[in-house]
Amino acid sequence: MHFVKAKGILSAKNGMNIYRGCTHGCIYCDSRSVCYGFTHAFEDIEVKENATELLESALKSKRKKCMIGTGAMCDPYMHCEEELELTRKCLEIIDKHGFGVTIQTKSDRILRDLDLLKSINEQSKCVVQMTLTTYDESLCRILEPNVSTTRERFEALEILRENGIPTVVWLSPILPYINDTKENIEGILDYCVRAQVKGIICFGMGVTLREGDREYFYKALDRHFPKLKEKYIIRYGNAYELPSDNSRELMKLFYDTCKSNGIMCDVNECFNYLQDFPEPYEQLSFF
């Protein structure tokens, strides 16, 4: 872990990354890709030590309230957050200024900040996005070794629902020949139905691999799934998109389950929901 003084905290679309890098160890992580320009080891977390000051200034200068997003590139609830509490401090600033927030994570550490999530949701809007990939707990420990298991994430989704916090699940990635089975998708969707999630984001049954990410993924395959790397190379070569051979069947299962349970499953509809900041209620005047 090392600290830097950042020049800015919000992207053009109001995304916020307090940290760069990750300690969750997911074998398929796209953020390891060379295109993102990491100049340090991925597990050596870069911390924007002035994140709170930058966010305070940015929100004060905004003329219109909006949703602030975090977690798209690096999980805001990594292990270092327990010590640093920068995500919590940023949530306090968002709450103070009346903005909304949408958070993407794989960690049940988010429950530590349930009080702030509820406060933000009561005055504007808070949505928690949770990634679910693997129903089998033993397999989950291989694919996502240093993070909350799928069962723990499901339990977090239930607690969020009980506290009135809407949730959206990312069903991604689905790894060919590993978790691209009917049983896996059924298990994850059952969790989503039981947790009464608002929506599920799924770009298809498969995974994407780029330079940097691909090499790390293949090393993990050699460790945990002998000879599977060769099968990937023969089937996909150096393709960016690696669709599952079971994609058609699994996507039908996905859409049918979502529609029968009233869960948003159109990607654009989900993103519009995440980005939409509620208009303030204005009482009608009779004079």
Side-chain angles (χ1 to χ4, degrees), residues 111-273:
L111 297 177
R112 179 203 64 187
D113 297 336
L114 187 57
D115 59 329
L116 284 170
L117 303 181
K118 290 172 65 176
S119 179
I120 293 169
N121 198 49
E122 286 167 3
Q123 67 171 325
S124 55
K125 180 180 175 183
C126 172
V127 185
V128 173
Q129 304 169 68
M130 193 78 75
T131 301
L132 303 181
T133 67
T134 309
Y135 182 71
D136 181 271
E137 294 287 277
S138 297
L139 182 58
C140 177
R141 282 297 186 201
I142 294 173
L143 304 183
E144 302 159 339
N146 304 322
V147 70
S148 303
T149 68
T150 303
R151 176 75 192 185
E152 291 167 340
R153 286 175 243 171
F154 160 66
E155 291 170 351
L157 288 170
E158 287 201 306
I159 291 170
L160 292 164
R161 181 204 70 220
E162 291 165 0
N163 285 273
I165 309 296
T167 56
V168 170
V169 160
W170 285 68
L171 182 57
S172 173
I174 303 301
L175 307 175
Y177 315 119
I178 297 176
N179 63 348
D180 60 338
T181 65
K182 181 181 178 183
E183 292 75 19
N184 183 52
I185 302 304
E186 283 180 334
I188 295 172
L189 292 175
D190 179 62
Y191 275 161
C192 292
V193 171
R194 290 164 60 188
Q196 299 177 27
V197 304
K198 180 78 174 179
I200 305 176
I201 295 172
C202 178
F203 291 99
M205 300 295 168
V207 66
T208 59
L209 294 179
R210 290 189 264 214
E211 183 184 357
D213 173 21
R214 178 182 290 105
E215 289 77 7
Y216 186 85
F217 179 66
Y218 280 170
K219 286 180 181 178
L221 292 188
D222 284 339
R223 287 196 308 273
H224 301 292
F225 307 97
K227 298 184 179 180
L228 187 54
K229 178 181 72 176
E230 288 72 20
K231 191 171 184 178
Y232 264 77
I233 293 171
I234 292 170
R235 171 69 175 83
Y236 300 107
N238 287 321
Y240 169 61
E241 295 184 356
L242 286 64
S244 166
D245 293 337
N246 304 323
S247 184
R248 180 175 296 182
E249 172 193 0
L250 298 180
M251 287 304 293
K252 183 179 187 306
L253 173 61
F254 166 67
Y255 286 126
D256 288 349
T257 302
C258 288
K259 289 176 182 177
S260 62
N261 289 280
I263 298 172
M264 284 191 300
C265 57
D266 179 81
V267 171
N268 290 328
E269 185 180 5
C270 287
F271 280 126
N272 287 338
Y273 171 72

